[in-house]
Amino acid sequence: MRADNEVPRLVPGDWARHGAVYVALATVSIAQPLLQLYGENVAVFAAAGFEGAIVLWFGAIALLLPPLVLLSIEIIATMIFPRVRTRIHTVLVWLSLWLVASVVLRSVSIGPWVIDSLLTAGIAVGLTYLYQRQLTMRTWLTMLSPLALVVAIVFASSASSVIWPPAVTVVDVSSKKVDPADSLLRISPKDVSVLWIVLDEAPLWPLLRTDGTINKNRFPGFAALAESSTWYRNVVGTSQTTTDAVPAMLTGKWPKSGVGPVLANHPNNLFTLMNGHLAMDAHEVATALCPKKVCRTVSVTGGESISDPLGTVDTGTTTTTVMPKVEDADQRVSMTSFLRDALVVVGHKVLPAGLRDALPPIDEGWGGFGAVDDLDTGTSEVEASETTTPKVLTAEDQIPAQSTTVSQWQKGGPMSQVPVVEGVVTRASRADRPTLHFAHVLLPHRPWMLTPDMRRSRALPTEKRSNTIIDRVRDEYQAHLLQYAATDTVIENMVATMKKSKNWNRTMIIVTADHGLTFVPGESKRKTVNAKNQATLEDIYRVPLFIKYPGQQAGTVDDCTASSVDIFPTVVATTRIDAGWKVDGADLLNACPSRTSRAIIWADGKAQMTSTFSAVQKRAQYYDSWIPSDGSVDDITRAGVNGELVGTTLSANAENETELSWSLDRPEDFQNIGSERLGFVPAQVQGRLTARRDFGPDEEGLLVVDGVAVGIISELAGLRSGTSTTFRSTLLSRLLTPGRHEIALWTTSKDPSGSSVIRMVAKTK
């Protein structure tokens, strides 16, 4: 018989039973929801560069780490405080049951997150009481522990496409002789290289004027590309989801929602077709269709004698291109970063709604929830020799492919994507053999940080105001346009670089996008598709498609009813590398497909789009009421009633405004402006306004730097006395230079004659 003061002995059998309970509870609350989500969405592994054993390791960590942590806490705490051993175990069981209750009742909310948390905590208290008092419940939880093995098996089966990827082979292709009289190409298919750039969240309509032509003033790069290529302006994308849309392009097959974007699910794709027939220079992000053995390195051949055959002298218009630094490290996200993303997912599964809102969004579904060459940017063409492929090939070097993982994008933002494009373009301009150059880049994808002068702003947090407010979505549209204009600079440099190269004539250049997005007030950007709103479908599914065929001498516009699935068969027709695979797309090189509609899909639906290019033109006209579609880059910042004042030097013509106070977040940013490429500039700012009088509907704020208006604050319009509001403003970044600056808020309105009445705000806080 044990004395009352005797310390209970540590029995190994107790640890085993307690461990089994922790395994059961952690499996239900953490491992099963997490592994089910990841198993059904293998894109997260593709984006991280994970395949093989490391995927299994992740599954093992998700299953075993939480119960091992709980058991270790109990053992260590018991050794330190042996007299309260039972209480320690009870508290840990209660915490585990709290997580279980939170997961089960995740979609139930009876009030603020504190109330929801107290509800699930109370339920966990009741369950813990039963656990203490009822042997049956303790036994049942212990016997539930083998559920972890079932979850592991189901996960391994669901993720088998990335755990056991298929072997790499060289595809047999048919050898077709080209009849010059029957071919539209001026270059022999055996000499053709392919340079294919896939942009992301890049709709067609922002590029357009109201008359349907490309706005050359705002987007000179896309205009230059159109002048040298075939612009398929009536093309429709296939999906609003990257992981469906990109595989559809790379396979020529209509996508099916939810199919993982990995090699095992799409074995017949552009990379497996070209492997062994063209040198390889491929960069994917969010997908993994190229076998790792093939795409872990890139082909590097030729040199400056090809990219700059005449030794062009710098005339003062040369743009400095920063080449990517090549790393020898594996192209994978670190397990630490991957597990950090997994914790965010767990948070979305177990936390009440109020706390989930504070977590990073997981909308994308694929994680991430970051030698100098003088390249001539002139537009003059260099006469190429009749044979553009050098007669003597250099030895083919292989260097590690630059990482384009989601993790790098998460750390480096859109700035990390610019060197990816520039590296691919530089290698395409220098290659001395037929090569496939492919890059999917997250441009002009959110976060919107780049400016037209190729500097970077700070990414502002998610706007808290309702997206039904036009001013709120217009702020986002302006930021999108700034980054789209920066993307245009990258395209402009690409065209100039390739035109200067001997490879211009023999290269098939493709620029397109996986999908667009919409800014229609009240609608989701693209995560949720409202099929009843045709306007949003036009915004999301209409994408640019420019194809410069080898030997093409002039630009042309084609209103063919094209789809993104047509690009793959068009590449096959141009290169004549054909395995005879059955595809859904059509060859645009030789004929326009006879379609009356094109299929589109989203996560839980599908539809047919029957509209023509005129529908896209109407979208440009719709957004023209916010930002002039025919305007310049500077006009992006000239929103609101008084936008014409942006860029002008001001002088007050009325008494000071004393009944408005304001504050600016991070005013120190204006003292840390950089001038270098990708240097910092505060192109997007936010702050707060407080009114002590009623402001009229046409009264707006002006953010003034050194006496020059650089941005409009439309949130002031209609602000009532005694109220406060946050504001955002998109600034004319080219006017923001290094050095110290004086930042002020002025107000402006229209008088009956149409003149602007301008007042300085005397009081700030």
Side-chain angles (χ1 to χ4, degrees):
M1 186 174 179
R2 192 182 68 194
D4 291 341
N5 60 352
E6 183 180 349
V7 176
R9 291 182 298 168
L10 304 179
V11 181
D14 290 343
W15 298 138
R17 285 189 292 273
H18 291 182
V21 170
Y22 295 143
V23 167
L25 295 176
T27 298
V28 173
S29 62
I30 298 176
Q32 192 279 331
L34 181 65
L35 295 183
Q36 179 182 6
L37 179 65
Y38 277 37
E40 294 175 349
N41 185 22
V42 295
V44 70
F45 297 112
F50 281 14
E51 67 176 31
I54 194 169
V55 178
L56 292 175
W57 272 112
F58 170 73
I61 291 172
L63 281 163
L64 299 178
L65 184 59
L68 284 176
V69 169
L70 290 170
L71 185 60
S72 298
I73 291 173
E74 180 176 340
I75 292 174
I76 294 172
T78 298
M79 289 180 176
I80 299 174
F81 308 105
R83 296 183 181 278
V84 292
R85 172 188 173 193
T86 301
R87 294 180 183 177
I88 293 170
H89 176 64
T90 301
V91 170
L92 293 176
V93 169
W94 171 73
L95 288 173
S96 301
L97 287 169
W98 191 3
L99 290 179
V100 171
S102 298
V103 170
V104 173
L105 299 177
R106 178 180 182 275
S107 59
V108 177
S109 179
I110 61 174
W113 68 265
V114 175
I115 302 300
D116 291 340
S117 298
L118 290 175
L119 172 64
T120 52
I123 293 173
V125 168
L127 293 174
T128 304
Y129 177 81
L130 291 177
Y131 175 81
Q132 289 179 300
R133 299 296 182 182
Q134 297 293 327
L135 176 61
T136 302
M137 183 174 179
R138 293 195 296 274
T139 303
W140 181 77
L141 284 179
T142 303
M143 295 178 63
L144 190 62
S145 59
L147 176 64
L149 180 60
V150 176
V151 171
I153 294 172
V154 172
F155 170 71
S157 176
S158 301
S160 60
S161 58
V162 289
I163 297 174
W164 297 284
V168 182
T169 59
V170 176
V171 178
D172 290 330
V173 299
S174 59
S175 178
K176 295 183 178 180
K177 293 184 179 180
V178 181
D179 182 355
D182 187 50
S183 176
L184 299 178
L185 302 178
R186 294 181 173 86
I187 305 297
S188 173
K190 66 182 178 62
D191 294 330
V192 171
S193 283
V194 179
L195 171 57
W196 185 351
I197 306 298
V198 178
L199 304 174
D200 206 298
E201 280 194 345
L204 173 59
W205 48 269
L207 302 179
L208 304 180
R209 298 178 183 271
T210 52
D211 64 1
T213 61
I214 295 176
N215 183 346
K216 187 174 183 178
N217 290 333
R218 186 173 293 166
F219 298 104
F222 284 101
L225 179 60
E227 291 169 358
S228 304
S229 65
T230 301
W231 174 25
Y232 295 96
R233 64 179 189 173
N234 188 28
V235 70
V236 170
T238 57
S239 175
Q240 99 298 5
T241 304
T242 297
T243 50
D244 292 335
V246 173
M249 283 190 279
L250 293 173
T251 62
K253 303 282 287 184
W254 297 116
K256 295 180 180 179
S257 184
V259 176
V262 295
L263 177 62
N265 296 332
H266 305 280
N268 297 341
N269 66 64
L270 178 73
F271 307 116
T272 55
L273 176 64
M274 299 300 176
N275 177 35
H277 304 286
L278 293 181
M280 197 66 65
D281 179 10
H283 302 264
E284 294 181 87
V285 61
T287 61
L289 271 63
C290 188
K292 282 191 175 295
K293 182 179 179 181
V294 175
C295 290
R296 67 163 56 100
T297 59
V298 299
S299 175
V300 181
T301 64
E304 291 186 7
S305 61
I306 300 172
S307 64
D308 191 2
L310 301 184
T312 306
V313 177
D314 186 356
T315 62
T317 60
T318 301
T319 297
T320 301
T321 300
V322 180
M323 292 298 297
K325 180 182 179 182
V326 177
E327 303 288 352
D328 293 329
D330 191 11
Q331 272 191 285
R332 289 196 311 210
V333 172
S334 69
M335 181 58 81
T336 300
S337 297
F338 196 76
L339 291 176
R340 190 182 308 118
D341 277 351
L343 285 176
V344 174
V345 175
V346 171
H348 277 277
K349 291 292 184 180
V350 303
L351 293 178
L355 291 181
R356 289 199 299 269
D357 294 341
L359 293 174
I362 56 174
D363 295 355
E364 294 291 357
W366 30 261
F369 310 147
V372 177
D373 297 293
D374 291 330
L375 301 177
D376 185 6
T377 58
T379 57
S380 60
E381 294 189 37
V382 176
E383 291 294 331
S385 61
E386 184 177 346
T387 302
T388 56
T389 303
K391 295 180 179 179
V392 179
L393 299 180
T394 62
E396 182 182 6
D397 293 329
Q398 296 285 328
I399 65 172
Q402 184 200 10
S403 172
T404 56
T405 63
V406 169
S407 178
Q408 184 197 31
W409 168 63
Q410 184 183 26
K411 295 176 182 177
M415 291 72 70
S416 68
Q417 303 297 288
V418 174
V420 175
V421 182
E422 293 177 340
V424 168
V425 170
T426 298
R427 290 188 291 274
S429 71
R430 297 178 175 185
D432 66 358
R433 69 196 64 213
T435 305
L436 169 62
H437 306 276
F438 176 88
H440 170 208
V441 291
L442 299 175
L443 288 173
H445 193 288
R446 292 165 285 180
W448 299 306
M449 301 173 68
L450 291 175
T451 62
D453 57 5
M454 292 307 293
R455 289 186 287 175
R456 61 178 178 86
S457 184
R458 196 179 304 280
L460 298 182
T462 302
E463 177 68 80
K464 298 300 183 182
R465 292 181 295 165
S466 169
N467 74 338
T468 61
I469 300 173
I470 290 181
D471 182 65
R472 177 227 159 138
V473 290
R474 185 180 62 190
D475 287 342
E476 295 173 329
Y477 179 44
Q478 288 177 288
H480 169 74
L481 285 177
L482 292 184
Q483 189 147 297
Y484 216 153
T487 304
D488 178 80
T489 299
V490 175
I491 298 300
E492 185 177 23
N493 289 340
M494 178 198 73
V495 173
T497 300
M498 292 304 298
K499 277 189 173 182
K500 190 176 65 173
S501 166
K502 287 183 179 180
N503 291 335
W504 171 254
N505 277 341
R506 74 178 186 91
T507 302
M508 178 187 193
I509 299 177
I510 305 167
V511 176
T512 188
D514 54 355
H515 52 69
L517 77 169
T518 186
F519 293 90
V520 172
E523 297 284 2
S524 166
K525 290 288 183 294
R526 64 179 174 86
K527 179 184 178 183
T528 303
V529 173
N530 181 3
K532 296 180 180 180
N533 189 337
Q534 182 65 31
T536 62
L537 298 183
E538 300 294 342
D539 288 355
I540 295 171
Y541 289 92
R542 292 287 187 168
V543 295
L545 175 58
F546 302 90
I547 300 180
K548 198 283 295 182
Y549 291 101
Q552 184 168 353
Q553 300 299 310
T556 184
V557 176
D558 195 322
D559 281 339
C560 176
T561 52
S563 168
S564 293
V565 296
D566 298 331
I567 303 176
F568 175 82
T570 304
V571 173
V572 170
T574 305
T575 61
R576 298 299 173 103
I577 299 174
D578 187 1
W581 295 334
K582 182 179 179 181
V583 296
D584 298 319
D587 162 23
L588 299 177
L589 172 64
N590 295 298
C592 178
S594 56
R595 299 187 182 109
T596 57
S597 65
R598 285 151 290 181
I600 60 172
I601 68 167
W602 54 93
D604 54 357
K606 58 183 179 180
Q608 294 285 328
M609 288 188 68
T610 59
S611 57
T612 63
F613 175 71
S614 61
V616 193
Q617 186 176 343
K618 290 179 180 178
R619 301 311 300 151
Q621 294 167 353
Y622 170 81
Y623 288 104
D624 180 69
S625 64
W626 296 3
I627 305 295
S629 297
D630 299 349
S632 66
V633 170
D634 286 358
D635 288 331
I636 294 173
T637 62
R638 292 173 177 144
V641 178
N642 303 280
E644 75 277 0
L645 294 175
V646 173
T648 63
T649 300
L650 299 180
S651 59
N653 54 21
E655 294 181 0
N656 290 355
E657 175 61 66
T658 60
E659 296 181 305
L660 174 69
S661 59
W662 71 295
S663 62
L664 182 68
D665 294 353
R666 307 186 69 93
E668 66 275 12
D669 283 351
F670 286 86
Q671 315 308 325
N672 298 298
I673 299 174
S675 60
E676 70 279 7
R677 187 171 183 268
L678 300 183
F680 176 74
V681 61
Q684 301 173 61
V685 296
Q686 64 181 10
R688 192 165 192 85
L689 304 172
T690 301
R692 287 183 292 277
R693 72 171 176 88
D694 292 344
F695 284 83
D698 65 342
E699 289 189 275
E700 295 177 309
L702 291 170
L703 194 63
V704 178
V705 175
D706 301 331
V708 178
V710 296
I712 290 286
I713 301 176
S714 296
E715 290 85 350
L716 179 62
L719 192 63
R720 313 307 294 176
S721 177
T723 62
S724 296
T725 185
T726 58
F727 73 83
R728 294 195 175 195
S729 184
T730 301
L731 309 186
L732 188 54
S733 61
R734 68 175 178 81
L735 298 180
L736 303 177
T737 57
R740 299 192 65 82
H741 299 280
E742 180 183 347
I743 304 95
L745 176 67
W746 295 28
T747 64
T748 182
S749 60
K750 300 285 188 181
D751 65 17
S753 67
S755 301
S756 296
V757 178
I758 301 173
R759 298 179 175 88
M760 292 184 291
V761 177
K763 295 184 178 180
T764 62
K765 64 175 182 179

